[in-house]
């Protein structure tokens, strides 16, 4: 992109009212505010207006050219959050494998570790980062400088684990970080955000940036209740993200369906909200072994049941398919699938 949107982070000149009216009239579909917009989204739209002003009135680019670039850059990026109400349900393992599965479908993927304070995306992805988000927060590096390549052709922004400051970021810092993330995402086809567990302000913040959010739950009672809590949080905060449900570590199909029906039933009864489900993943030693080996399952055992199911989820997300049914496949034999 000529005069690229990388310059969005730079200060903008004051826009004359008549110029702003012209910009809003011609780019309303990109700039129009929505009631569900978070503060970072509002700030990003203001910056976008400044960038459009520069292109129109400084570089004298035609409206059609600018619109074509915006269509190519902005509308192509899919933003997906993966979250859970409770820790230990396999959320991060799923996030890493989903990212690789999207990359295998030919997309340029950025995986962002938003589990501040207990970040471990890099562990499951097999990366040893020399720079992390802590370097950005402390002003030692820009966001661009902490983007790292990872196995499977994906890119990571790694968090810092065990740091109390990262676990308690201020609202203004979260806003600035979200704003930078949206800017960086313009260079990727897919942005996957691995949030922390629970219903903290940081989790709410990043769910608000996502077009799609996948809530991961296991058959345990605590996980079921906490997963519903996250769904309730998104509903009460009127987040624009579309909620999906994925059941992990299921022993059998009927168990997974029972959990899905329980959570979806509560959402329908108490929130008047219909949940979309992506089905389930099974408890499988192959997945546990791939985690220990620090190699994503879709790379180490690409024909296993869970790998094929994750690939199906990736395809549905990227193609906008509403059905949660898995693709027809013949999974690799495994003890858990037997």
């Amino acid at each position: 992109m000529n005069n690229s949107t990388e310059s969005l982070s730079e200060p903008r000149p004051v826009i004359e009212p008549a110029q702003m009216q012209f910009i809003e009239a011609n780019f309303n579909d990109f700039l129009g505010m929505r009631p569900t917009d978070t503060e970072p989204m509002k700030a990003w739209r203001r910056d976008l207006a400044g960038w459009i002003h520069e292109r129109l009135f400084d570089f004298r680019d035609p409206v059609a050219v600018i619109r074509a670039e915006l269509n190519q850059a902005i509308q192509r990026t899919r933003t997906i959050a993966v979250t859970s109400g409770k820790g230990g349900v396999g959320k991060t393992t799923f996030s890493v494998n989903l990212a690789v599965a999207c990359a295998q479908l030919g997309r340029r993927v950025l995986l962002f570790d938003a589990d501040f304070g207990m970040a471990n995306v890099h562990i499951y992805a097999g990366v040893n980062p020399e720079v992390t988000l802590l370097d950005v927060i402390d002003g030692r590096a820009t966001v661009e400088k902490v983007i790292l390549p990872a196995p499977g052709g994906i890119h990571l922004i790694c968090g810092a684990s065990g740091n109390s400051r990262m676990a308690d970021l201020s609202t203004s810092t979260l806003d600035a970080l979200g704003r930078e993330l949206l800017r960086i995402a313009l260079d990727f086809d897919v942005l996957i955000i691995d949030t922390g567990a629970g219903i903290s302000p940081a989790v709410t913040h990043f769910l608000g940036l996502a077009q799609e959010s996948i809530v991961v739950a296991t058959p345990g009672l605590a996980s079921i209740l906490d997963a519903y809590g996250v769904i309730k949080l998104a509903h009460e905060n009127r987040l624009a993200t579309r909620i999906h449900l994925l059941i992990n570590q299921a022993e059998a199909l009927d168990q997974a369906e029972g959990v899905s029906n329980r959570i979806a039933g509560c959402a329908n009864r108490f929130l008047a909200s219909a949940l979309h489900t992506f089905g389930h993943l099974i408890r499988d030693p192959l997945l546990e072994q791939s985690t220990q080996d620090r190699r994503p399952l879709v790379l180490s055992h690409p024909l296993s049941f869970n790998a094929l199911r994750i690939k199906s989820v990736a395809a549905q997300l990227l193609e906008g398919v509403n059905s949660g049914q898995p693709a027809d496949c013949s999974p690799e034999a495994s003890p858990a699938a037997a």
Side-chain angles (χ1 to χ4, degrees), residues 65 72 94 117 130 136 142 146 155 176 204 208 230 235 241 249 254 337:
V65 171
Q72 182 180 8
F94 173 73
E130 294 183 0
V136 177
T142 62
V146 299
H155 289 78
T204 307
V230 173
H235 178 81
T241 187
Q249 301 175 14
D254 58 348

Side-chain angles (χ1 to χ4, degrees), residues 16-286:
E16 297 294 332
Q19 293 174 332
M20 192 63 205
Q21 289 176 7
F22 180 83
I23 292 171
E24 288 177 340
N26 286 275
F27 299 93
N28 183 63
D29 46 339
F30 296 104
L31 298 174
M33 295 292 183
R34 299 164 178 80
T36 52
D37 275 353
T38 58
E39 286 305 316
M41 285 297 297
K42 293 176 182 177
W44 184 85
R45 291 180 194 280
R46 288 193 294 268
D47 277 350
L48 182 60
W51 178 80
I52 293 171
H53 173 274
E54 183 180 62
R55 294 292 300 273
L56 281 171
F57 299 105
D58 292 344
F59 293 98
R60 304 293 180 180
D61 290 326
V63 169
V65 171
I66 300 172
R67 287 190 61 84
E69 291 188 15
L70 288 173
N71 276 314
Q72 182 180 8
I74 295 175
Q75 295 185 0
R76 72 188 182 116
T77 304
R78 303 279 298 180
T79 305
I80 304 162
V82 181
T83 191
S84 66
K86 183 179 181 297
V89 300
K91 168 183 61 64
T92 298
T93 303
F94 173 73
S95 296
V96 172
N97 279 280
L98 178 65
V100 175
C102 289
Q104 290 177 338
L105 291 172
R107 303 315 199 270
R108 181 171 166 82
V109 181
L110 176 64
L111 176 57
F112 178 77
D113 194 338
D115 190 353
F116 302 131
M118 294 298 290
N120 53 18
V121 159
H122 61 284
I123 295 174
Y124 299 129
V127 172
N128 298 312
E130 294 183 0
V131 288
T132 69
L133 273 177
L134 184 60
D135 295 287
V136 177
I137 300 301
D138 288 344
R140 294 187 296 270
T142 62
V143 176
E144 288 90 345
K145 294 298 183 181
V146 299
I147 298 177
L148 305 174
I154 66 175
H155 289 78
L156 306 180
I157 296 180
C158 303
S161 183
N163 187 288
S164 59
R165 287 192 296 120
M166 287 295 295
D168 191 27
L169 297 178
S170 67
T171 300
S172 60
T173 300
L174 286 174
D175 286 346
L177 195 56
R179 185 175 174 180
E180 282 295 283
L181 185 60
L182 291 174
R183 179 178 65 84
I184 293 298
L186 294 177
D187 290 330
F188 294 87
D189 302 307
V190 180
L191 168 64
I192 297 178
I193 304 172
D194 180 50
T195 78
I199 55 174
S200 70
V203 171
T204 307
H205 178 84
F206 285 104
L207 290 181
L209 299 184
Q211 300 158 343
E212 317 279 343
S213 293
I214 303 173
V215 179
V216 180
T218 64
L221 178 60
S223 176
I224 294 172
L225 294 175
D226 290 347
Y228 174 73
V230 173
I231 296 166
K232 182 180 178 182
L233 171 80
H235 178 81
E236 291 181 342
N237 282 273
R238 303 180 63 84
L239 301 182
T241 187
R242 184 187 180 198
I243 300 292
H244 308 269
L245 182 64
L246 176 76
I247 307 305
N248 193 21
Q249 301 175 14
E251 299 291 349
L253 175 60
D254 58 348
Q255 183 190 51
E257 289 181 339
V259 175
S260 292
N261 292 338
R262 189 171 182 179
I263 297 174
C266 288
N268 185 57
R269 179 180 177 184
F270 300 111
L271 306 177
S273 177
L275 286 184
H276 172 251
T277 177
F278 278 128
H280 73 288
L281 303 177
I282 61 174
R283 184 183 296 278
D284 189 352
L286 291 177

